[in-house]
Amino acid sequence: MSSKDSNKSTSKVIAITSGKGGVGKTNVSVNLAIALARKGNKVCVFDADTSLANVNILLDIRPQYTLEHLLNGEQPLEKILLEGPQGIRVVPAASGITEFAQLDAKQQGIILATLAKLEQEFDYLIVDTAAGISSNVIQFIQAAQQCIVVVTPEPTSLTDAFALLKVLYQNKSSTPVHVLTNMVDDYSNSVDIYKRLSSAAMRYLHLQTHYFGYIPRDDSLRLAVQKQSPVCVAYPSSPASQRFTSLASSIDSLFGVQAATTSFSLFWRKLIGRPSKAPQSIRSPIGTISKTSKPTKIKSKLSKAMIVKLQKGFVHLIQSRSLSPNSMQSLLSSLLRQVRSHYPEITLDELDDGTKSRDELEPKKVAYDTTKRSH
């Protein structure tokens, strides 16, 4: 293990999900993993769709051992991990993890140790959930640090995605939700679809979502599926492959300024009831703080070197324009909300870079207030 890996406490965990099947969720999971791996990341795809195991099919691999053999104590993690394109690793799905909280004590210990080990060994853990609103899907989303909901222009895709968002809201999930549109004509078509879903989520659930991007309608995707090969491998120059590369840059940059502070395995440890107050802390809409507790001051501070690194990373993110305008707006809005929450003594409306007068900044103040009211 490299020095870089040894200093890393947890993976960056992303749940890829959808309200209904057939929207390309697994395609997104696998190709996004490959695109991230090409950027020098160690990536593992955790197939959490126990009913279909589409990751195996898409990669044309036939696992000799699965998670079931691990849970039964028949094989160690090293034996069930499969190798895919660009060095990505795959944890093949199996029956048994669907009702995670109902596993016996020995199986719970095995899966917790497995998840903790995966967090230590990989930069990114991509969780390909089942489609729908089952408790298993919701739990995987709550355990992740980021959630990407895949939708298509089909009306049923949007209505089912809204149903998923509603269940997340009812379960007080604190995982940020990003929407990825698949099989769309172009960027404009993608934004229109996203706005329909996000407007409904905000109006009826008061739930904010973030625009993540889009994958265009591309025959290469269909041909790649027929070949049982990821489009990023079979047709690396295709429009779809180029979009996956761009999305990987967005994910890398997003996590670059939002360091991982939660643990995938710790969520499951809480879920099965080891700490007595786990359900209350898991379901809190503000991370691990209970509903009745007051915000606490941060005990540890970032080093000056880390602050400089974060600043440079954020400046590079802006200058590279690797995020779409909507994604950048969502990121900035999120940062402003965090600053306003934890630094109430700072008057954000009076901030500037030292080059403009208060009069010149006044239009920006109006724009910010308008955005704030819309949320």
Side-chain angles (χ1 to χ4, degrees), residues 4 30 37 47 65 70 75 87 94 133 139 226 294 319-320:
K4 173 187 175 183
V30 171
D47 191 349
Y65 305 112
L70 179 73
Q75 298 294 337
I133 57 174
Q139 289 165 358
Q226 292 175 355
K294 296 181 180 180
Q319 293 176 339
S320 65

Side-chain angles (χ1 to χ4, degrees), residues 246 249-250 253 316-324:
S246 177
S249 296
S250 297
S253 300
H316 175 73
L317 171 63
I318 295 172
Q319 293 176 339
S320 65
R321 290 187 61 87
S322 55
L323 289 181
S324 68

Side-chain angles (χ1 to χ4, degrees), residues 8 11 122 147 172 175 178 180 216 221 230 237 241 349:
K8 172 168 56 60
S11 301
F122 294 94
C147 169
K172 298 179 173 59
T175 306
H178 308 268
L180 173 66
L221 278 166
S237 299
S241 295
D349 297 333

Side-chain angles (χ1 to χ4, degrees), residues 197-249:
L197 179 60
S198 63
S199 297
M202 181 60 68
R203 178 177 180 182
Y204 298 106
L205 304 176
H206 304 289
L207 177 66
Q208 183 181 21
T209 59
H210 310 276
Y211 177 77
F212 181 61
Y214 73 99
I215 304 298
R217 214 181 289 273
D218 187 350
D219 285 340
S220 298
L221 278 166
R222 175 178 54 82
L223 295 174
V225 171
Q226 292 175 355
K227 290 183 175 182
Q228 289 184 271
S229 175
V231 70
C232 285
V233 175
Y235 303 98
S237 299
S238 66
S241 295
Q242 293 174 11
R243 286 302 305 156
F244 279 118
T245 299
S246 177
L247 293 175
S249 296

Side-chain angles (χ1 to χ4, degrees), residues 23 47 95 124 130 132 178-179 225 233 235 247 254 258 267 351 371:
V23 299
D47 191 349
S95 60
Y124 285 94
H178 308 268
V179 179
V225 171
V233 175
Y235 303 98
L247 293 175
L254 177 63
Q258 293 184 351
F267 174 92
L351 290 180
T371 303

Side-chain angles (χ1 to χ4, degrees), residues 24-38 45 58-59 88 215 221 224-225 229-234 240-241 244-245 248:
K25 171 180 57 62
T26 300
N27 236 324
V28 170
S29 298
V30 171
N31 283 287
L32 202 53
I34 292 172
L36 283 168
R38 284 177 173 168
V45 178
L58 187 59
L59 293 175
I88 69 170
I215 304 298
L221 278 166
V225 171
S229 175
V231 70
C232 285
V233 175
S241 295
F244 279 118
T245 299

Side-chain angles (χ1 to χ4, degrees), residues 137-192:
V137 172
I138 302 304
Q139 289 165 358
F140 272 112
I141 293 174
Q142 287 181 299
Q145 295 153 9
Q146 305 285 340
C147 169
I148 297 177
V149 178
V150 182
V151 300
T152 68
E154 296 180 12
T156 52
S157 172
L158 293 175
T159 54
D160 288 352
F162 178 80
L164 173 62
L165 296 180
K166 184 176 181 180
V167 176
L168 289 174
Y169 170 77
Q170 291 171 341
N171 281 270
K172 298 179 173 59
S173 173
S174 60
T175 306
V177 176
H178 308 268
V179 179
L180 173 66
T181 59
N182 193 19
M183 308 178 200
V184 296
D185 296 330
D186 50 31
Y187 171 75
S188 178
N189 182 211
S190 169
V191 171
D192 288 342

